[in-house]
Amino acid sequence: MPTTLIYETHATTLDNEQGIATGWLPGELSAAGRQEAVELGMRRQGVDVVFSSDLRRAVQTVELAGLEAPHFVDWRLRECNYGELNGRPRPELEPRRDRVDTPFPGGQSYREVVESTRSFLTDIRRLYDGAQVLLVAHSANRWALQHLLAEESLEELVAAPFDWQPGWIYGV
């Protein structure tokens, strides 16, 4: 039986509402985000295990979701490190396409996020065969999953707008 990976973005943060690119900064959920986290919990009851980024906004999302499954944090699920641009207005990070292989100043490239996500997936396949695994992380991780599991172009993914939906499901 294949492993089912359910990916959800962390809930809305104060930075999201203000157009700030949080990057590796912790971030804090907004009032709307706290409600979204509760809704995520209602949507995802019954998963076997939950993994999240170690950044505060992802951990807080899982905590407020109130799921009964064990929750583990994993640094490999962090957002892209924008380096000197962590915490800056989102338009300062555009265009993103040129950061697929070239790191942000003092940070990392999107390809590096793909490699961290690939390492995480290797462990999930080995340790959670047949399980329903919930992953709560960031937009860069979603692009990495689409690239690795759906074979979509990373360049096209990072250049396109991020369209939120209540989760994505993958077989791994």
Side-chain angles (χ1 to χ4, degrees):
M1 184 175 186
T3 300
T4 301
L5 179 70
I6 304 164
Y7 167 82
E8 293 261 3
T9 58
H10 64 77
T12 301
T13 65
L14 296 169
D15 282 354
N16 293 143
E17 291 178 349
Q18 296 171 11
I20 301 295
T22 313
W24 273 21
L25 300 176
E28 183 69 29
L29 297 187
S30 67
R34 289 190 294 277
Q35 179 59 39
E36 292 166 1
V38 170
E39 292 167 6
L40 183 152
M42 291 187 285
R43 238 184 352 262
R44 300 305 177 193
Q45 290 297 323
V47 297
D48 298 308
V49 63
V50 181
F51 285 87
S52 75
S53 159
D54 62 345
L55 296 173
R56 177 70 187 139
R57 58 198 185 269
V59 172
Q60 189 179 23
T61 297
V62 174
E63 290 171 349
L64 292 172
L67 297 165
E68 294 186 20
H71 173 212
F72 301 97
V73 297
D74 194 312
W75 68 269
R76 295 174 295 179
L77 300 174
R78 285 185 176 185
E79 175 64 276
C80 187
N81 181 359
Y82 305 133
E84 297 168 11
L85 298 176
N86 285 327
R88 302 295 304 159
R90 187 152 279 294
E92 291 184 24
L93 277 67
E94 306 298 337
R96 291 179 267 195
R97 185 182 292 256
D98 68 339
R99 297 299 175 188
V100 168
D101 293 301
T102 304
F104 285 92
Q108 66 182 156
S109 70
Y110 287 108
R111 186 86 56 203
E112 290 173 284
V113 176
V114 167
E115 292 312 311
S116 295
T117 304
R118 183 189 316 272
S119 170
F120 172 79
L121 287 174
T122 298
D123 289 345
I124 291 300
R125 286 180 179 120
R126 184 172 50 86
L127 298 171
Y128 292 95
D129 186 38
Q132 277 202 343
V133 178
L134 175 61
L135 166 59
V136 177
H138 311 274
S139 57
N141 308 104
R142 164 76 167 67
W143 297 327
L145 291 170
Q146 280 297 111
H147 176 68
L148 293 167
L149 300 175
E151 299 181 0
E152 292 185 29
S153 161
L154 186 58
E155 292 79 4
E156 290 178 19
L157 289 163
V158 301
F162 186 86
D163 292 327
W164 183 88
Q165 68 183 46
W168 289 262
I169 298 175
Y170 302 93
V172 294

